[in-house]
Amino acid sequence: MTTVQAPADRPSTDADHRLDALLLERWERDPALPAIIHGDTVLTVGELRERVLRTAAALRAHGVRAGDRVVIHHVRSVEFVVAVLGAMFAGAAHAALGVDDPPQRTLRAVRDCEPRAVLTNSTLRERFSGVSDVPGLPGLPGLSDLVVLTDEECAAYPPTLEPVREASDTSADDPVAVIYTSGSTGRPKASLISHRALVSRITALQTTHRMDERDRMLHHTVCTFDMHLGELYWPLLAGATVVIAAPGRHRDADHLAELIRDQGITTVYFGVSQLELFLLTRDPAERYDGLRQVLTGGEVLGPELVRRFHARSTASLTNIYGPSECTIYCTAWVLPRDPDLDTVLIGPAIQDTELWILDENGTPVADGEPGELYIGGAGVALGYLNRPELTAERFLDAERLPNAPAVSPHCRLYRSGDLVRARPDGALEFLGRADRQVKIRGIRIEPGEIEETAKRCTGVRQAAVVAHGSGAEKRLAAFVVPETGTEPGSLPSSVREALRTWLPPYMVPSAIEVADELPLTPNGKLDRRLMETWAAKRSAESAPARPVSRAPADTAAGTPADADPDVESVVSEVWCEVLQVPTVGPDDDFFDLGGDSFKVLRVVETLRERLRADIPLAALLLEPTAADFSEELRRIMAHGPTD
């Protein structure tokens, strides 16, 4: 079964498919329009153009050329946007690395990316300067010769168009972005996104969800998720304004609601969990009719959430689907305002896209039957950076699909690993994964990467990682087999500490169990289903008993209303209840223990009642360890929350 969307009006020249040429043409029309708003800073189109060209000139002066890569290491800010665009105008592909990731993971990505330069700020540049070796990463070459430029240094260069002229004869099939995702071998993999692919996706978005100079789009998606490309390039090419959320507050529903209201946001993308949290956090009577269009995706969207959104906004809600290997999205479905909606689809193919549903032999399935989704068209990535074997495995040329003769000549298909079923009108229903990949709070995770990292920990002979639970309650659990002579009692804590230094918080399992051996199926493979059962059972057993009732806040636990509460004890008690863990230590991280956006809401609401304090959601998001969060609560109770 296949579904195809042809382009509306395919441009005929490479320049029409290159972002630098398209942006310059757009900017020359309206230099006085606001391009970016961040806090009190308003950058006009002309000012943005000048800063971007200065950055491009600095990169070119330091040897950056077409086909090179530039690492962007900035917090969410005007400087981040300028760096991304400056790298593109210099002819390079940008690779944005999260500033909150462990330094070793960042440097490992730098080694894999092999950039010509890094754009960062003066505070963060020390992470890249003078590095000759990194503990725990044998064989990591020195990075002391890496060009590291700050935004202040770039500002000293003239805003020349020379980089654009030098790139004028380059191809629209040159890479413009490098998007890292978790890899099953223990090594993150990076999709290479071309100018042509990204222009195709922005064109598709603009065709169905048009924006113009009157619109404002919120930029709050983390830089390691490919939707940040849509949040930047789409509004800038449409003449709309990019409104940037404050660093560290992309999960803070209070902050986002304030921006939507005060800045007149008309277009926003929410991950499904974030949309759920947003609606749960705000006053049920609060409406968002200023919004014109909302896009969501990244996780399975339920009908009840759709109904709750429609009840509070006149904006359209569109469910989009697509792995980063296909550049932001490849299907879309505008949700009907149907109170009896029972299934949320991921939609038909967008323009410039071919979708095939094939069986295990690569043969198209019968109409309405489930199968694996293969994706083709202009948005398909160039492949994986420096991973020819993996590229050959996942990106298939038409001649390698002899059982699917209707594939367009010279078409490349990406094998998604997702199971879908087509409805008679061509819209697809998402059925799950065909491999081990999981999503935790909307982020793609390969358990194999965590397993390979755990095996590097001292005292670990074997490791297996599984996910258990569903929806907001889905968690990762690790089982480790100790080496001979290793004290098993101390292994979970040492493994956890090691994983925290190598992996981002969302990849550190909430539970780490020691096993004498890993269970096997009768045919000798790891019995992951049994480990999932173990993990779910032990999670339930370790959950503390929840009180049936609680005294009013002013007399809780026999404490007089005017007594100074033991904040650390209250925080520990509430975390244990919400996270279902037996104990909490002062250095424990809320998200490492299995916290997510929904649990943040539950914790803060409970603490507001028990401590009788106006606690903002951002307090826990910005101070996620028990000790730091408790200290922040004491400050809030003494002086009130800060803006």
Side-chain angles (χ1 to χ4, degrees):
M1 184 274 171
T2 184
T3 176
V4 179
Q5 277 269 347
D9 290 297
R10 181 183 294 278
S12 57
T13 68
D14 256 9
D16 291 327
H17 288 286
R18 285 193 61 90
L19 291 159
D20 43 11
L22 293 172
L23 275 174
L24 277 180
E25 189 276 331
R26 174 77 243 186
W27 290 348
E28 288 170 0
R29 277 190 266 161
D30 304 293
L33 285 177
I36 301 177
I37 296 175
H38 185 205
D40 296 329
T41 300
V42 179
L43 210 64
T44 67
V45 165
E47 292 167 337
L48 175 62
R49 178 183 183 274
E50 178 179 323
R51 289 186 60 172
V52 167
L53 292 180
R54 288 183 187 276
T55 301
L59 290 171
R60 298 292 285 198
H62 285 82
V64 173
R65 294 294 180 268
D68 287 339
R69 291 171 291 281
V70 172
V71 162
I72 312 297
H73 203 60
H74 276 288
V75 298
R76 187 181 301 102
S77 58
V78 171
E79 290 72 27
F80 173 81
V81 179
V82 169
V84 168
L85 299 180
M88 182 269 293
F89 271 91
H94 86 269
L97 304 180
V99 297
D100 295 326
D101 283 355
Q104 292 191 28
R105 182 179 177 85
T106 298
L107 294 175
R108 184 184 293 275
V110 171
R111 178 180 65 177
D112 183 77
C113 183
E114 298 176 339
R116 179 75 64 178
V118 173
L119 293 176
T120 187
N121 60 34
S122 55
T123 303
L124 297 173
R125 81 174 299 163
E126 291 185 1
R127 298 184 180 185
F128 306 94
S129 301
V131 178
S132 59
D133 188 33
V134 178
L137 296 180
L140 180 64
L143 299 175
S144 56
D145 58 346
L146 186 66
V147 174
V148 182
L149 296 172
T150 66
D151 38 283
E152 294 90 353
E153 291 167 334
C154 291
Y157 286 79
T160 174
L161 284 172
E162 190 60 31
V164 182
R165 297 190 187 99
E166 293 174 356
S168 61
D169 60 348
T170 54
S171 169
D173 293 315
D174 287 343
V176 70
V178 180
I179 304 295
Y180 275 93
T181 57
S182 181
S184 59
T185 63
R187 173 185 171 190
K189 56 183 183 292
S191 300
L192 286 171
I193 307 299
S194 70
H195 281 258
R196 187 185 307 277
L198 188 48
V199 169
S200 169
R201 291 311 190 233
I202 300 304
T203 302
L205 284 166
Q206 184 67 354
T207 299
T208 58
H209 295 70
R210 184 173 179 80
M211 284 197 288
D212 58 29
E213 296 84 353
R214 297 166 294 181
D215 286 292
R216 292 184 172 186
M217 184 168 189
L218 184 60
H219 167 47
H220 66 122
T221 299
V222 293
C223 68
T224 51
F225 183 38
D226 60 347
M227 189 60 200
H228 84 271
L229 301 174
E231 289 180 345
L232 298 182
Y233 283 107
W234 180 19
L236 291 176
L237 283 169
T241 304
V242 178
V243 178
I244 302 176
R249 301 191 69 182
H250 59 284
R251 290 186 292 202
D252 185 344
D254 294 341
H255 174 61
L256 299 182
E258 180 182 357
L259 287 177
I260 290 171
R261 180 185 65 248
D262 296 347
Q263 295 294 344
I265 301 296
T266 63
T267 303
V268 64
Y269 171 87
F270 279 123
V272 170
S273 288
Q274 194 174 26
L275 179 61
E276 177 88 38
L277 174 66
F278 185 82
L279 294 180
L280 284 173
T281 304
R282 309 306 300 158
D283 188 321
E286 191 172 73
R287 294 191 58 82
Y288 309 100
D289 294 329
L291 287 171
R292 202 166 54 77
Q293 48 194 12
V294 174
L295 287 75
T296 188
E299 299 171 88
V300 175
L301 177 62
E304 180 55 33
L305 179 55
V306 174
R307 283 188 283 270
R308 279 191 280 130
F309 173 80
H310 281 156
R312 296 172 68 176
S313 178
T314 57
S316 64
L317 180 64
T318 303
N319 190 30
I320 65 174
Y321 157 86
S324 62
E325 289 86 349
C326 298
T327 314
I328 304 178
Y329 78 132
C330 60
T331 72
W333 197 52
V334 179
L335 277 301
R337 290 182 175 271
D338 180 2
D340 298 321
L341 181 71
D342 59 358
T343 302
V344 176
L345 306 179
I346 59 174
I350 63 172
Q351 68 183 54
D352 280 333
T353 301
E354 292 190 19
L355 302 179
W356 281 84
I357 305 175
L358 308 178
D359 63 18
E360 61 274 11
N361 299 315
T363 302
V365 301
D367 290 348
E369 291 299 315
E372 185 175 353
L373 181 63
Y374 289 67
I375 305 163
V380 174
L382 301 172
Y384 295 117
L385 175 64
N386 298 330
R387 306 287 291 275
E389 299 85 1
L390 187 58
T391 297
E393 175 187 334
R394 306 302 294 188
F395 295 86
L396 308 179
D397 294 327
E399 55 266 24
R400 293 178 58 194
L401 294 167
N403 297 325
V407 173
S408 302
H410 311 299
C411 177
R412 294 169 65 248
L413 295 181
Y414 171 68
R415 184 175 183 179
S416 72
D418 287 334
L419 299 176
V420 298
R421 174 170 45 224
R423 296 294 182 92
D425 61 358
L428 304 184
E429 179 184 356
F430 179 80
L431 302 176
R433 289 291 300 175
D435 56 22
R436 291 187 57 215
Q437 187 184 102
V438 298
K439 281 195 174 184
I440 303 292
R441 297 188 292 278
I443 301 174
R444 288 169 57 180
I445 294 175
E446 291 280 4
E449 180 177 356
I450 307 172
E451 292 170 352
E452 292 302 315
T453 305
K455 291 175 187 176
R456 292 168 33 214
C457 297
T458 302
V460 175
R461 178 165 58 88
Q462 289 179 288
V465 175
V466 296
H468 65 95
S470 61
E473 299 300 323
K474 182 173 286 188
R475 301 181 184 179
L476 293 171
F479 293 88
V480 294
V481 177
E483 291 180 336
T484 303
T486 298
E487 171 56 45
S490 61
L491 197 56
S493 59
S494 65
V495 169
R496 180 181 300 281
E497 289 305 311
L499 293 181
R500 283 174 173 169
T501 65
W502 292 330
L503 298 173
Y506 60 82
M507 292 182 68
V508 178
S510 58
I512 299 175
E513 301 272 356
V514 176
D516 294 333
E517 59 184 18
L518 298 179
L520 302 178
T521 64
N523 61 5
K525 295 182 179 181
L526 282 178
D527 194 337
R528 298 187 182 277
R529 287 186 179 275
L530 179 57
M531 285 187 281
E532 290 171 5
T533 301
W534 287 356
K537 181 179 179 181
R538 292 175 188 180
S539 175
E541 290 174 346
S542 65
R546 298 195 179 200
V548 176
S549 62
R550 176 170 293 278
D554 58 351
T555 59
T559 302
D562 57 350
D564 184 19
D566 182 350
V567 175
E568 285 85 353
S569 296
V570 177
V571 167
S572 177
E573 178 186 355
V574 172
W575 281 25
C576 286
E577 291 178 11
V578 173
L579 298 173
Q580 297 187 18
V581 294
T583 59
V584 171
D587 296 325
D588 282 340
D589 185 289
F590 181 79
F591 297 100
D592 286 355
L593 295 175
D596 55 32
S597 299
F598 299 101
K599 294 183 177 68
V600 168
L601 177 61
R602 288 167 53 189
V603 164
V604 170
E605 286 184 337
T606 303
L607 288 172
R608 284 170 178 168
E609 174 189 340
R610 297 189 189 178
L611 297 177
R612 290 172 295 147
D614 181 13
I615 304 169
L617 288 175
L620 181 50
L621 299 173
L622 297 175
E623 304 291 353
T625 67
D628 291 344
F629 180 52
S630 298
E631 181 62 30
E632 177 66 7
L633 290 185
R634 277 195 293 270
R635 188 199 63 75
I636 290 171
M637 293 169 68
H639 305 290
T642 57
D643 294 331

